Amino acid sequence: MHAKVKSSETEKNIEGKTICHFINGEYTGSANGKTFNTYNPVTGKVYAQVHEAGRDEVDAAVRAAKNAMNGVWGEMTVEKRLELLYKLADGINDRFDDFLEAECLDTGKPYSLASHVDIPRGAANFKVFADVIKNVPTESFMLETPDGKGALNYALRVPKGVIAVISPWNLPLLLMTWKVGPALACGNTVVVKPSEETPATTALLGEVMNEAGIPAGVFNVVHGFGPDSAGEYLTQHPEVDAITFTGETATGTAIMQQAAIGMRDVSFELGGKNAGLVFADCDMDKAIEGTMRSVFANCGQVCLGTERVYVERPIFEEFVNRLKDEAEKLKPGLPKEEDTSFGPMVSLQQRDKVLSYYQKAKEDGANIITGGGIPEMPEEYKNGFWIEPTIWTGLPETSAVIREEIFGPCCHIQPFDTEEEAINMANDTQYGLATAIWTENASRAHRVAAKINVGIAWVNSWFLRDLRTPFGGSKQSGIGREGGVHSLEFYTEMRNVCLKL
Ligand code: NAD
Ligand code: 6OD
């Protein structure tokens, strides 16, 4: 009855099956038998049932994580732990096709995207943090004392304990392992609550954990929703020592309130309303190629994506025309087809939300440069969650379309006349996640990047990731930085030993 998502299961044979929790090294259903549907966004059809965790399953998962922390995992040598993480990364790569199929079934994204971004990064997230841990020193100080003998202070880096990982649906494996990788490398154990929209690859990872020899209880998965469901039960659980979350800013606010009880630490990667700044001295080909990706990759469902594009007036018209031409070349289609460059939205609910902004843009008087609706699709896919890539101009900066995060394949393009004006418009938002600056003038690039209040400023690139760098958001786009040694600030605590000599 409680079939798990198994190796080499394809769309056909996952269909009609049940996705289970993974608790203490075993797949298990919910005691009350409660399940919910999960959909294939390409067809709009239910493809599996997912068990919804109640408080009992969440409690069992947290207890398993605590036991592993206080037992086999906590006692394991760092060398052995890191060896297991390497095996885990190899295990994901060995099962590359299974992960690819599961991820694209859940999200509808093209194989060409998931095979270059989601799955390889899912594996890399374990190796990178194993390497970080191997090479990080701790500090020591010699203190002089009146007796002349002194005292040696040295720091120990210790894991925090049980980490709750709450992840979103847009890059399910990548963003989940981005948290689980450093958490485990630092010696913590985890309970993961993947998005209700995309449970498959997180569930599948349980199998690879077992195959790699990760002890039972180190990695646990509970499925369900947020409020009054697994997400809230997990963040409320008193034995959870810290919470790492990726998702909407409003959800982060709710989780922070839960975290306050018991003084649990949080690391938050939240929403954005990112600006692209295109200067007249840019390399236009690069700017068009990069803006195309930053607006439309993953059907616009990337937190770092550009929804506001500011273009210097002398090149405004050319830029708009060229972006329109490229957007109209995007080809929606089946994930597996090689020429598919554009997938559906993850859910009907998300598509409705984005369509409501398409409507709002019309009401606010936008010029619709391209798109604005739902594309014609062949009969068998017409109930999928498809949407048109959309570009607008002509809106006032006060429009909700320019102020609120849409999280869809769309952007508004606004002209500007001075560098200062562009910077002011880019910064005029509650968010501060990312920006992309397009200019061939290195001094300008440096000057502008420093003035935009964001966690990451790309110059002549977008989503070019070096996992050793600090990653996170300013203002309402997040709390804390993860990546490289910065992840250790959240996933470990420093303990000082003062040894009187
Ligand atoms: P979401 O906030 O709706 O859900 C994220 C996760 O939180 C899901 O697993 C959900 O079930 C859970 N959740 C919801 N309410 C909860 C609650 N009260 N308590 C505990 N858990 C709860 O976000 P989403 O729609 O899945 O993802 C899209 C959002 O994520 C966008 O705003 C996007 O910008 C943001 N995002 C940010 C980053 C980043 O790095 N800053 C990365 C990806 C996505
Ligand atoms: O690349 C990453 O590490 C990362 N956290 C990307 C986030 C993408 C948001 O959708």
Side-chain angles (χ1 to χ4, degrees), residues 159-336:
K160 280 229 172 98
V162 176
I163 310 284
V165 178
I166 312 264
S167 46
W169 45 259
N170 62 326
L171 303 161
L173 182 72
L174 187 159
L175 290 175
M176 180 267 296
T177 54
W178 168 246
K179 306 292 199 173
V180 173
L184 299 192
C186 291
N188 303 280
T189 57
V190 296
V191 180
V192 182
K193 209 296 283 170
S195 168
E196 53 275 29
E197 306 289 353
T198 53
T201 46
T202 306
L204 185 56
L205 188 59
E207 282 191 33
V208 182
M209 291 276 168
N210 284 347
E211 285 158 10
I214 302 284
V218 170
F219 171 81
N220 305 276
V221 181
V222 289
H223 299 288
F225 303 85
D228 292 321
S229 184
E232 199 171 275
Y233 303 154
L234 181 58
T235 53
Q236 283 175 343
H237 200 290
E239 298 288 333
V240 163
D241 297 298
I243 302 165
T244 181
F245 166 73
T246 307
E248 286 185 19
T249 298
T251 311
T253 307
I255 292 178
M256 206 164 172
Q257 281 164 350
Q258 302 297 345
I261 303 165
M263 292 296 157
R264 278 92 49 77
D265 202 358
V266 295
S267 174
F268 284 172
E269 290 171 14
L270 308 174
K273 187 73 184 176
N274 311 305
L277 274 62
V278 187
F279 288 92
D281 57 15
C282 74
D283 175 325
M284 182 66 100
D285 291 346
K286 277 191 223 162
I288 291 290
E289 188 275 334
T291 307
M292 276 299 294
R293 284 190 299 112
S294 77
V295 176
F296 299 115
N298 207 35
C299 199
Q301 303 165 118
V302 182
C303 61
L304 305 159
T306 306
E307 289 188 355
R308 300 181 291 145
V309 187
Y310 298 102
V311 180
E312 202 165 355
R313 203 173 298 274
I315 60 165
F316 181 77
E317 212 177 305
E318 182 190 357
F319 184 91
V320 172
N321 289 336
R322 285 191 57 180
L323 202 72
K324 169 186 190 294
D325 289 348
E326 292 304 314
E328 289 175 355
K329 287 183 199 156
L330 287 169
K331 184 177 173 305
L334 298 187
K336 269 185 189 167

Side-chain angles (χ1 to χ4, degrees), residues 435-455:
T435 191
I437 301 162
W438 304 93
T439 175
E440 291 295 299
N441 177 333
S443 300
R444 185 202 294 281
H446 184 66
R447 191 167 63 231
V448 175
K451 284 188 181 156
I452 301 194
N453 303 325
V454 286

Side-chain angles (χ1 to χ4, degrees), residues 336-468:
K336 269 185 189 167
E337 282 169 5
E338 268 174 31
D339 62 346
T340 295
S341 49
F342 194 68
M345 304 235 57
V346 76
S347 65
L348 197 56
Q349 189 192 12
Q350 185 65 19
R351 186 179 69 172
D352 285 348
K353 178 185 161 195
V354 177
L355 285 175
S356 75
Y357 282 100
Y358 285 14
Q359 179 59 28
K360 180 85 185 124
K362 263 192 209 163
E363 288 163 10
D364 287 358
N367 305 315
I368 301 169
I369 302 299
T370 188
I374 295 174
E376 287 284 325
M377 294 300 287
E379 185 60 24
E380 62 269 46
Y381 311 119
K382 77 171 186 350
N383 293 325
F385 311 137
W386 305 97
I387 196 163
E388 284 180 335
T390 295
I391 300 173
W392 307 283
T393 61
L395 284 172
E397 286 292 293
T398 50
S399 167
V401 174
I402 293 185
R403 304 214 64 80
E404 296 169 13
E405 181 185 50
I406 301 174
F407 220 57
C410 52
C411 69
H412 180 266
I413 314 182
Q414 194 81 284
F416 69 84
D417 293 301
T418 66
E419 190 178 296
E420 192 189 3
E421 186 192 5
I423 292 168
N424 287 341
M425 287 195 287
N427 279 335
D428 184 16
T429 167
Q430 60 177 325
Y431 294 111
L433 194 52
T435 191
I437 301 162
W438 304 93
T439 175
E440 291 295 299
N441 177 333
S443 300
R444 185 202 294 281
H446 184 66
R447 191 167 63 231
V448 175
K451 284 188 181 156
I452 301 194
N453 303 325
V454 286
I456 183 163
W458 276 290
V459 178
N460 297 331
S461 63
W462 178 75
F463 211 156
L464 182 57
R465 293 281 289 114
D466 180 331
L467 306 187
R468 296 167 298 186

